[in-house]
mmCIF file of all heavy atoms in Angstrom:
data_model
loop_
_atom_site.group_PDB
_atom_site.id
_atom_site.type_symbol
_atom_site.label_atom_id
_atom_site.label_comp_id
_atom_site.label_asym_id
_atom_site.label_seq_id
_atom_site.Cartn_x
_atom_site.Cartn_y
_atom_site.Cartn_z
ATOM 1 N N ASN A 1 120.516 -122.421 28.803
ATOM 2 C CA ASN A 1 121.285 -122.002 29.958
ATOM 3 C C ASN A 1 122.672 -122.845 30.005
ATOM 4 O O ASN A 1 123.776 -122.276 30.327
ATOM 5 C CB ASN A 1 120.588 -122.126 31.130
ATOM 6 C CG ASN A 1 119.521 -121.136 31.360
ATOM 7 O OD1 ASN A 1 119.502 -120.015 30.747
ATOM 8 N ND2 ASN A 1 118.455 -121.407 32.103
ATOM 9 N N GLU A 2 122.561 -124.206 29.789
ATOM 10 C CA GLU A 2 123.689 -124.961 29.800
ATOM 11 C C GLU A 2 124.759 -124.577 28.646
ATOM 12 O O GLU A 2 125.929 -124.620 28.760
ATOM 13 C CB GLU A 2 123.364 -126.455 29.772
ATOM 14 C CG GLU A 2 124.605 -127.381 29.751
ATOM 15 C CD GLU A 2 125.339 -127.297 31.005
ATOM 16 O OE1 GLU A 2 124.994 -126.655 32.057
ATOM 17 O OE2 GLU A 2 126.348 -128.065 31.116
ATOM 18 N N THR A 3 124.171 -124.301 27.388
ATOM 19 C CA THR A 3 124.927 -123.726 26.412
ATOM 20 C C THR A 3 125.726 -122.588 26.774
ATOM 21 O O THR A 3 126.948 -122.438 26.528
ATOM 22 C CB THR A 3 124.103 -123.531 25.224
ATOM 23 O OG1 THR A 3 123.453 -124.741 24.755
ATOM 24 C CG2 THR A 3 124.924 -122.915 23.932
ATOM 25 N N ARG A 4 125.058 -121.650 27.441
ATOM 26 C CA ARG A 4 125.762 -120.406 27.822
ATOM 27 C C ARG A 4 126.801 -120.719 28.837
ATOM 28 O O ARG A 4 127.916 -120.142 28.872
ATOM 29 C CB ARG A 4 124.683 -119.433 28.435
ATOM 30 C CG ARG A 4 125.175 -118.164 28.843
ATOM 31 C CD ARG A 4 124.127 -117.079 29.329
ATOM 32 N NE ARG A 4 123.270 -116.878 28.219
ATOM 33 C CZ ARG A 4 121.972 -117.259 28.087
ATOM 34 N NH1 ARG A 4 121.494 -118.040 28.938
ATOM 35 N NH2 ARG A 4 121.257 -116.890 27.047
ATOM 36 N N ARG A 5 126.561 -121.627 29.775
ATOM 37 C CA ARG A 5 127.525 -121.978 30.762
ATOM 38 C C ARG A 5 128.898 -122.573 30.045
ATOM 39 O O ARG A 5 129.992 -122.152 30.341
ATOM 40 C CB ARG A 5 127.047 -122.967 31.826
ATOM 41 C CG ARG A 5 128.016 -123.241 32.883
ATOM 42 C CD ARG A 5 127.513 -124.488 33.723
ATOM 43 N NE ARG A 5 127.605 -125.805 33.047
ATOM 44 C CZ ARG A 5 128.778 -126.536 33.061
ATOM 45 N NH1 ARG A 5 129.814 -126.051 33.760
ATOM 46 N NH2 ARG A 5 128.804 -127.668 32.508
ATOM 47 N N LEU A 6 128.678 -123.459 29.049
ATOM 48 C CA LEU A 6 129.822 -124.057 28.292
ATOM 49 C C LEU A 6 130.451 -123.094 27.501
ATOM 50 O O LEU A 6 131.783 -122.950 27.388
ATOM 51 C CB LEU A 6 129.258 -125.149 27.621
ATOM 52 C CG LEU A 6 128.798 -126.347 28.400
ATOM 53 C CD1 LEU A 6 127.984 -127.370 27.482
ATOM 54 C CD2 LEU A 6 129.811 -127.153 29.044
ATOM 55 N N TYR A 7 129.781 -122.098 26.981
ATOM 56 C CA TYR A 7 130.387 -121.004 26.205
ATOM 57 C C TYR A 7 131.353 -120.239 27.140
ATOM 58 O O TYR A 7 132.455 -119.857 26.771
ATOM 59 C CB TYR A 7 129.439 -120.112 25.524
ATOM 60 C CG TYR A 7 129.007 -120.420 24.150
ATOM 61 C CD1 TYR A 7 128.436 -121.814 23.853
ATOM 62 C CD2 TYR A 7 128.974 -119.559 23.142
ATOM 63 C CE1 TYR A 7 127.986 -122.050 22.526
ATOM 64 C CE2 TYR A 7 128.494 -119.833 21.820
ATOM 65 C CZ TYR A 7 128.042 -121.101 21.603
ATOM 66 O OH TYR A 7 127.560 -121.405 20.282
ATOM 67 N N GLY A 8 130.884 -120.094 28.359
ATOM 68 C CA GLY A 8 131.536 -119.287 29.251
ATOM 69 C C GLY A 8 132.860 -120.001 29.698
ATOM 70 O O GLY A 8 133.920 -119.270 29.873
ATOM 71 N N ILE A 9 132.843 -121.312 29.848
ATOM 72 C CA ILE A 9 134.019 -122.042 30.231
ATOM 73 C C ILE A 9 134.996 -121.930 29.101
ATOM 74 O O ILE A 9 136.292 -121.753 29.344
ATOM 75 C CB ILE A 9 133.650 -123.524 30.450
ATOM 76 C CG1 ILE A 9 132.898 -123.656 31.752
ATOM 77 C CG2 ILE A 9 134.889 -124.392 30.513
ATOM 78 C CD1 ILE A 9 132.283 -124.997 32.015
ATOM 79 N N LEU A 10 134.528 -122.102 27.830
ATOM 80 C CA LEU A 10 135.544 -121.983 26.718
ATOM 81 C C LEU A 10 136.021 -120.627 26.565
ATOM 82 O O LEU A 10 137.250 -120.476 26.256
ATOM 83 C CB LEU A 10 134.831 -122.413 25.447
ATOM 84 C CG LEU A 10 135.534 -122.652 24.136
ATOM 85 C CD1 LEU A 10 136.730 -123.528 24.466
ATOM 86 C CD2 LEU A 10 134.730 -123.127 23.062
ATOM 87 N N ASN A 11 135.233 -119.556 26.794
ATOM 88 C CA ASN A 11 135.708 -118.193 26.745
ATOM 89 C C ASN A 11 136.855 -117.907 27.765
ATOM 90 O O ASN A 11 137.807 -117.267 27.443
ATOM 91 C CB ASN A 11 134.451 -117.227 26.981
ATOM 92 C CG ASN A 11 134.928 -115.809 26.806
ATOM 93 O OD1 ASN A 11 135.222 -115.284 25.764
ATOM 94 N ND2 ASN A 11 134.889 -115.018 27.928
ATOM 95 N N LYS A 12 136.594 -118.374 28.951
ATOM 96 C CA LYS A 12 137.678 -118.270 30.108
ATOM 97 C C LYS A 12 138.944 -118.980 29.644
ATOM 98 O O LYS A 12 140.023 -118.388 29.906
ATOM 99 C CB LYS A 12 137.107 -118.852 31.377
ATOM 100 C CG LYS A 12 138.063 -118.605 32.516
ATOM 101 C CD LYS A 12 137.435 -119.055 33.839
ATOM 102 C CE LYS A 12 138.316 -118.799 35.048
ATOM 103 N NZ LYS A 12 137.769 -119.350 36.313
ATOM 104 N N GLN A 13 138.756 -120.230 29.127
ATOM 105 C CA GLN A 13 139.907 -120.959 28.714
ATOM 106 C C GLN A 13 140.785 -120.261 27.612
ATOM 107 O O GLN A 13 141.974 -120.319 27.550
ATOM 108 C CB GLN A 13 139.596 -122.364 28.236
ATOM 109 C CG GLN A 13 140.717 -123.229 27.678
ATOM 110 C CD GLN A 13 141.770 -123.570 28.735
ATOM 111 O OE1 GLN A 13 141.516 -123.268 29.974
ATOM 112 N NE2 GLN A 13 142.941 -124.035 28.316
ATOM 113 N N LEU A 14 140.124 -119.500 26.729
ATOM 114 C CA LEU A 14 140.727 -118.807 25.647
ATOM 115 C C LEU A 14 141.264 -117.370 25.967
ATOM 116 O O LEU A 14 141.887 -116.739 25.152
ATOM 117 C CB LEU A 14 139.782 -118.749 24.441
ATOM 118 C CG LEU A 14 139.552 -120.015 23.704
ATOM 119 C CD1 LEU A 14 138.304 -119.964 22.941
ATOM 120 C CD2 LEU A 14 140.734 -120.318 22.844
ATOM 121 N N ASP A 15 141.115 -116.923 27.207
ATOM 122 C CA ASP A 15 141.634 -115.756 27.698
ATOM 123 C C ASP A 15 143.152 -115.753 27.751
ATOM 124 O O ASP A 15 143.640 -116.619 28.526
ATOM 125 C CB ASP A 15 141.083 -115.329 29.088
ATOM 126 C CG ASP A 15 141.470 -114.082 29.543
ATOM 127 O OD1 ASP A 15 142.208 -113.302 28.890
ATOM 128 O OD2 ASP A 15 141.118 -113.729 30.720
ATOM 129 N N GLY A 16 143.858 -115.058 26.802
ATOM 130 C CA GLY A 16 145.284 -115.149 26.821
ATOM 131 C C GLY A 16 145.910 -116.205 26.112
ATOM 132 O O GLY A 16 147.146 -116.450 26.043
ATOM 133 N N ARG A 17 144.989 -117.040 25.411
ATOM 134 C CA ARG A 17 145.562 -118.142 24.494
ATOM 135 C C ARG A 17 144.968 -118.006 23.216
ATOM 136 O O ARG A 17 143.827 -117.605 22.980
ATOM 137 C CB ARG A 17 145.000 -119.553 25.043
ATOM 138 C CG ARG A 17 145.538 -119.879 26.436
ATOM 139 C CD ARG A 17 144.945 -121.133 26.899
ATOM 140 N NE ARG A 17 145.522 -121.624 28.196
ATOM 141 C CZ ARG A 17 144.892 -121.281 29.376
ATOM 142 N NH1 ARG A 17 143.901 -120.538 29.357
ATOM 143 N NH2 ARG A 17 145.508 -121.638 30.449
ATOM 144 N N ALA A 18 145.881 -118.318 22.180
ATOM 145 C CA ALA A 18 145.471 -118.214 20.784
ATOM 146 C C ALA A 18 144.442 -119.400 20.439
ATOM 147 O O ALA A 18 143.441 -119.301 19.650
ATOM 148 C CB ALA A 18 146.661 -118.288 19.844
ATOM 149 N N PHE A 19 144.687 -120.590 21.069
ATOM 150 C CA PHE A 19 143.998 -121.739 20.887
ATOM 151 C C PHE A 19 143.563 -122.514 22.174
ATOM 152 O O PHE A 19 144.122 -122.142 23.167
ATOM 153 C CB PHE A 19 144.620 -122.678 19.851
ATOM 154 C CG PHE A 19 144.824 -122.083 18.559
ATOM 155 C CD1 PHE A 19 146.191 -121.690 18.083
ATOM 156 C CD2 PHE A 19 143.823 -121.936 17.643
ATOM 157 C CE1 PHE A 19 146.366 -121.126 16.916
ATOM 158 C CE2 PHE A 19 144.130 -121.227 16.413
ATOM 159 C CZ PHE A 19 145.342 -120.969 16.026
ATOM 160 N N ILE A 20 142.683 -123.409 22.087
ATOM 161 C CA ILE A 20 142.126 -123.969 23.364
ATOM 162 C C ILE A 20 143.251 -124.499 24.158
ATOM 163 O O ILE A 20 143.125 -124.250 25.510
ATOM 164 C CB ILE A 20 141.028 -125.049 23.011
ATOM 165 C CG1 ILE A 20 139.812 -124.365 22.311
ATOM 166 C CG2 ILE A 20 140.666 -125.755 24.262
ATOM 167 C CD1 ILE A 20 138.787 -125.281 21.862
ATOM 168 N N ALA A 21 144.214 -125.208 23.795
ATOM 169 C CA ALA A 21 145.147 -125.753 24.641
ATOM 170 C C ALA A 21 146.371 -125.018 24.695
ATOM 171 O O ALA A 21 147.356 -125.437 25.260
ATOM 172 C CB ALA A 21 145.498 -127.220 24.079
ATOM 173 N N GLY A 22 146.523 -123.835 24.045
ATOM 174 C CA GLY A 22 147.757 -122.927 24.251
ATOM 175 C C GLY A 22 147.906 -122.247 22.819
ATOM 176 O O GLY A 22 146.992 -121.738 22.231
ATOM 177 N N LYS A 23 149.247 -122.172 22.483
ATOM 178 C CA LYS A 23 149.568 -121.364 21.397
ATOM 179 C C LYS A 23 149.459 -122.092 19.917
ATOM 180 O O LYS A 23 149.329 -121.461 18.946
ATOM 181 C CB LYS A 23 150.993 -120.880 21.481
ATOM 182 C CG LYS A 23 152.103 -121.957 21.556
ATOM 183 C CD LYS A 23 153.430 -121.339 21.704
ATOM 184 C CE LYS A 23 154.481 -122.505 21.772
ATOM 185 N NZ LYS A 23 154.588 -123.236 20.498
ATOM 186 N N ASP A 24 149.209 -123.390 20.089
ATOM 187 C CA ASP A 24 149.174 -124.176 18.839
ATOM 188 C C ASP A 24 147.755 -124.659 18.551
ATOM 189 O O ASP A 24 147.018 -125.047 19.444
ATOM 190 C CB ASP A 24 150.181 -125.361 18.809
ATOM 191 C CG ASP A 24 151.605 -124.911 18.963
ATOM 192 O OD1 ASP A 24 151.982 -123.857 18.229
ATOM 193 O OD2 ASP A 24 152.412 -125.624 19.762
ATOM 194 N N TYR A 25 147.427 -124.818 17.242
ATOM 195 C CA TYR A 25 146.220 -125.269 16.841
ATOM 196 C C TYR A 25 146.213 -126.782 16.898
ATOM 197 O O TYR A 25 147.149 -127.494 16.425
ATOM 198 C CB TYR A 25 145.956 -124.904 15.340
ATOM 199 C CG TYR A 25 144.627 -125.267 14.736
ATOM 200 C CD1 TYR A 25 143.550 -124.690 15.188
ATOM 201 C CD2 TYR A 25 144.578 -126.130 13.734
ATOM 202 C CE1 TYR A 25 142.249 -125.002 14.651
ATOM 203 C CE2 TYR A 25 143.377 -126.399 13.125
ATOM 204 C CZ TYR A 25 142.264 -125.864 13.480
ATOM 205 O OH TYR A 25 140.999 -126.074 12.966
ATOM 206 N N THR A 26 145.187 -127.486 17.509
ATOM 207 C CA THR A 26 145.206 -128.862 17.818
ATOM 208 C C THR A 26 143.841 -129.474 17.583
ATOM 209 O O THR A 26 142.832 -128.784 17.222
ATOM 210 C CB THR A 26 145.633 -129.089 19.316
ATOM 211 O OG1 THR A 26 144.494 -128.773 20.120
ATOM 212 C CG2 THR A 26 146.897 -128.413 19.787
ATOM 213 N N ILE A 27 143.780 -130.784 17.777
ATOM 214 C CA ILE A 27 142.417 -131.383 17.665
ATOM 215 C C ILE A 27 141.464 -130.977 18.606
ATOM 216 O O ILE A 27 140.188 -131.120 18.354
ATOM 217 C CB ILE A 27 142.633 -133.024 17.641
ATOM 218 C CG1 ILE A 27 143.128 -133.419 19.026
ATOM 219 C CG2 ILE A 27 143.419 -133.459 16.522
ATOM 220 C CD1 ILE A 27 143.085 -134.945 19.254
ATOM 221 N N ALA A 28 141.931 -130.239 19.704
ATOM 222 C CA ALA A 28 140.869 -129.735 20.622
ATOM 223 C C ALA A 28 140.079 -128.659 19.818
ATOM 224 O O ALA A 28 138.815 -128.562 20.051
ATOM 225 C CB ALA A 28 141.584 -129.145 21.909
ATOM 226 N N ASP A 29 140.713 -127.870 19.168
ATOM 227 C CA ASP A 29 140.087 -126.777 18.430
ATOM 228 C C ASP A 29 139.076 -127.400 17.258
ATOM 229 O O ASP A 29 138.057 -126.863 17.114
ATOM 230 C CB ASP A 29 141.133 -125.894 17.787
ATOM 231 C CG ASP A 29 142.012 -125.387 18.808
ATOM 232 O OD1 ASP A 29 141.599 -124.349 19.557
ATOM 233 O OD2 ASP A 29 143.163 -125.784 18.803
ATOM 234 N N MET A 30 139.619 -128.362 16.661
ATOM 235 C CA MET A 30 138.817 -129.008 15.653
ATOM 236 C C MET A 30 137.533 -129.627 16.143
ATOM 237 O O MET A 30 136.537 -129.662 15.517
ATOM 238 C CB MET A 30 139.657 -130.008 14.809
ATOM 239 C CG MET A 30 140.714 -129.543 14.205
ATOM 240 S SD MET A 30 141.748 -130.817 13.250
ATOM 241 C CE MET A 30 143.376 -130.047 13.172
ATOM 242 N N ALA A 31 137.638 -130.194 17.336
ATOM 243 C CA ALA A 31 136.546 -130.737 18.057
ATOM 244 C C ALA A 31 135.517 -129.771 18.423
ATOM 245 O O ALA A 31 134.325 -129.965 18.207
ATOM 246 C CB ALA A 31 137.002 -131.545 19.215
ATOM 247 N N ALA A 32 135.842 -128.586 18.894
ATOM 248 C CA ALA A 32 134.956 -127.701 19.378
ATOM 249 C C ALA A 32 134.336 -126.790 18.451
ATOM 250 O O ALA A 32 133.162 -126.393 18.467
ATOM 251 C CB ALA A 32 135.638 -126.743 20.510
ATOM 252 N N TYR A 33 135.128 -126.312 17.361
ATOM 253 C CA TYR A 33 134.680 -125.216 16.472
ATOM 254 C C TYR A 33 133.244 -125.568 15.825
ATOM 255 O O TYR A 33 132.424 -124.748 15.825
ATOM 256 C CB TYR A 33 135.741 -125.015 15.462
ATOM 257 C CG TYR A 33 135.253 -124.099 14.354
ATOM 258 C CD1 TYR A 33 135.369 -122.825 14.497
ATOM 259 C CD2 TYR A 33 134.837 -124.655 13.061
ATOM 260 C CE1 TYR A 33 134.882 -121.891 13.354
ATOM 261 C CE2 TYR A 33 134.413 -123.849 12.063
ATOM 262 C CZ TYR A 33 134.537 -122.471 12.272
ATOM 263 O OH TYR A 33 134.043 -121.700 11.223
ATOM 264 N N PRO A 34 133.083 -126.821 15.200
ATOM 265 C CA PRO A 34 131.909 -127.008 14.479
ATOM 266 C C PRO A 34 130.673 -126.924 15.376
ATOM 267 O O PRO A 34 129.580 -126.656 14.740
ATOM 268 C CB PRO A 34 132.023 -128.516 13.993
ATOM 269 C CG PRO A 34 133.520 -128.692 13.862
ATOM 270 C CD PRO A 34 134.021 -127.932 15.034
ATOM 271 N N TRP A 35 130.777 -127.076 16.623
ATOM 272 C CA TRP A 35 129.576 -126.960 17.491
ATOM 273 C C TRP A 35 129.243 -125.527 17.914
ATOM 274 O O TRP A 35 128.136 -125.188 18.328
ATOM 275 C CB TRP A 35 129.836 -127.836 18.759
ATOM 276 C CG TRP A 35 129.684 -129.269 18.559
ATOM 277 C CD1 TRP A 35 130.621 -130.138 18.295
ATOM 278 C CD2 TRP A 35 128.344 -129.911 18.410
ATOM 279 N NE1 TRP A 35 130.101 -131.440 18.122
ATOM 280 C CE2 TRP A 35 128.743 -131.319 18.130
ATOM 281 C CE3 TRP A 35 127.039 -129.605 18.560
ATOM 282 C CZ2 TRP A 35 127.714 -132.210 17.981
ATOM 283 C CZ3 TRP A 35 125.978 -130.509 18.407
ATOM 284 C CH2 TRP A 35 126.350 -131.783 18.088
ATOM 285 N N ILE A 36 130.244 -124.687 17.582
ATOM 286 C CA ILE A 36 129.996 -123.239 17.868
ATOM 287 C C ILE A 36 129.369 -122.580 16.636
ATOM 288 O O ILE A 36 128.791 -121.531 16.618
ATOM 289 C CB ILE A 36 131.353 -122.517 18.332
ATOM 290 C CG1 ILE A 36 131.899 -123.188 19.570
ATOM 291 C CG2 ILE A 36 130.959 -121.051 18.663
ATOM 292 C CD1 ILE A 36 131.051 -123.213 20.784
ATOM 293 N N VAL A 37 129.668 -123.159 15.446
ATOM 294 C CA VAL A 37 129.170 -122.525 14.188
ATOM 295 C C VAL A 37 127.769 -122.101 14.233
ATOM 296 O O VAL A 37 127.426 -121.035 13.810
ATOM 297 C CB VAL A 37 129.523 -123.503 12.996
ATOM 298 C CG1 VAL A 37 128.828 -122.898 11.702
ATOM 299 C CG2 VAL A 37 131.078 -123.628 12.698
ATOM 300 N N PRO A 38 126.867 -122.935 14.790
ATOM 301 C CA PRO A 38 125.349 -122.524 14.731
ATOM 302 C C PRO A 38 125.024 -121.756 15.961
ATOM 303 O O PRO A 38 123.898 -121.959 16.635
ATOM 304 C CB PRO A 38 124.664 -123.829 14.540
ATOM 305 C CG PRO A 38 125.483 -124.877 15.218
ATOM 306 C CD PRO A 38 126.966 -124.376 14.952
ATOM 307 N N TYR A 39 125.910 -120.898 16.424
ATOM 308 C CA TYR A 39 125.741 -120.204 17.724
ATOM 309 C C TYR A 39 124.303 -119.396 17.744
ATOM 310 O O TYR A 39 123.694 -119.348 18.758
ATOM 311 C CB TYR A 39 126.841 -119.184 18.038
ATOM 312 C CG TYR A 39 127.124 -118.237 17.020
ATOM 313 C CD1 TYR A 39 126.557 -116.871 17.165
ATOM 314 C CD2 TYR A 39 128.073 -118.311 15.952
ATOM 315 C CE1 TYR A 39 126.712 -115.859 16.304
ATOM 316 C CE2 TYR A 39 128.351 -117.271 14.993
ATOM 317 C CZ TYR A 39 127.672 -116.107 15.227
ATOM 318 O OH TYR A 39 127.916 -115.152 14.363
ATOM 319 N N GLU A 40 123.947 -118.779 16.514
ATOM 320 C CA GLU A 40 122.763 -118.076 16.571
ATOM 321 C C GLU A 40 121.495 -118.895 16.820
ATOM 322 O O GLU A 40 120.574 -118.603 17.615
ATOM 323 C CB GLU A 40 122.620 -117.273 15.248
ATOM 324 C CG GLU A 40 123.599 -116.138 15.056
ATOM 325 C CD GLU A 40 123.443 -115.438 13.841
ATOM 326 O OE1 GLU A 40 122.943 -116.028 12.888
ATOM 327 O OE2 GLU A 40 123.816 -114.308 13.701
ATOM 328 N N ALA A 41 121.555 -120.201 16.283
ATOM 329 C CA ALA A 41 120.320 -121.115 16.445
ATOM 330 C C ALA A 41 120.408 -121.626 17.932
ATOM 331 O O ALA A 41 119.364 -122.118 18.309
ATOM 332 C CB ALA A 41 120.561 -122.260 15.485
ATOM 333 N N GLN A 42 121.430 -121.521 18.610
ATOM 334 C CA GLN A 42 121.691 -121.913 20.009
ATOM 335 C C GLN A 42 121.185 -120.773 20.935
ATOM 336 O O GLN A 42 121.200 -121.016 22.106
ATOM 337 C CB GLN A 42 123.065 -122.255 20.319
ATOM 338 C CG GLN A 42 123.516 -123.521 19.492
ATOM 339 C CD GLN A 42 125.068 -123.627 19.529
ATOM 340 O OE1 GLN A 42 125.705 -123.066 20.162
ATOM 341 N NE2 GLN A 42 125.499 -124.616 18.658
ATOM 342 N N GLY A 43 120.864 -119.603 20.430
ATOM 343 C CA GLY A 43 120.386 -118.597 21.237
ATOM 344 C C GLY A 43 121.604 -117.777 21.774
ATOM 345 O O GLY A 43 121.515 -117.147 22.884
ATOM 346 N N MET A 44 122.816 -117.845 21.224
ATOM 347 C CA MET A 44 123.982 -117.238 21.716
ATOM 348 C C MET A 44 124.385 -116.014 20.781
ATOM 349 O O MET A 44 124.050 -116.055 19.578
ATOM 350 C CB MET A 44 125.170 -118.253 21.820
ATOM 351 C CG MET A 44 124.967 -119.369 22.704
ATOM 352 S SD MET A 44 124.854 -118.940 24.452
ATOM 353 C CE MET A 44 123.099 -119.361 24.779
#
């Protein structure tokens, strides 16, 4: 449930944005991406 909540926060942040902090790729994207890779194992 907490995973789903955090996915929802990230999904909302990415509404209208190419990357997490805006139009440019940054270390914020590099930090988050690897934790989303095993999304199926997380039940998402």
Side-chain angles (χ1 to χ4, degrees):
N1 289 337
E2 181 64 3
T3 298
R4 185 174 293 107
R5 185 187 75 85
L6 292 166
Y7 271 53
I9 290 171
L10 190 53
N11 185 66
K12 184 177 180 179
Q13 176 65 12
L14 287 161
D15 185 1
R17 297 179 178 88
F19 298 107
I20 292 174
K23 62 183 179 62
D24 296 322
Y25 186 63
T26 71
I27 61 172
D29 303 288
M30 298 177 202
Y33 172 84
W35 284 99
I36 305 298
V37 169
Y39 60 88
E40 292 179 334
Q42 297 162 8
M44 297 295 113

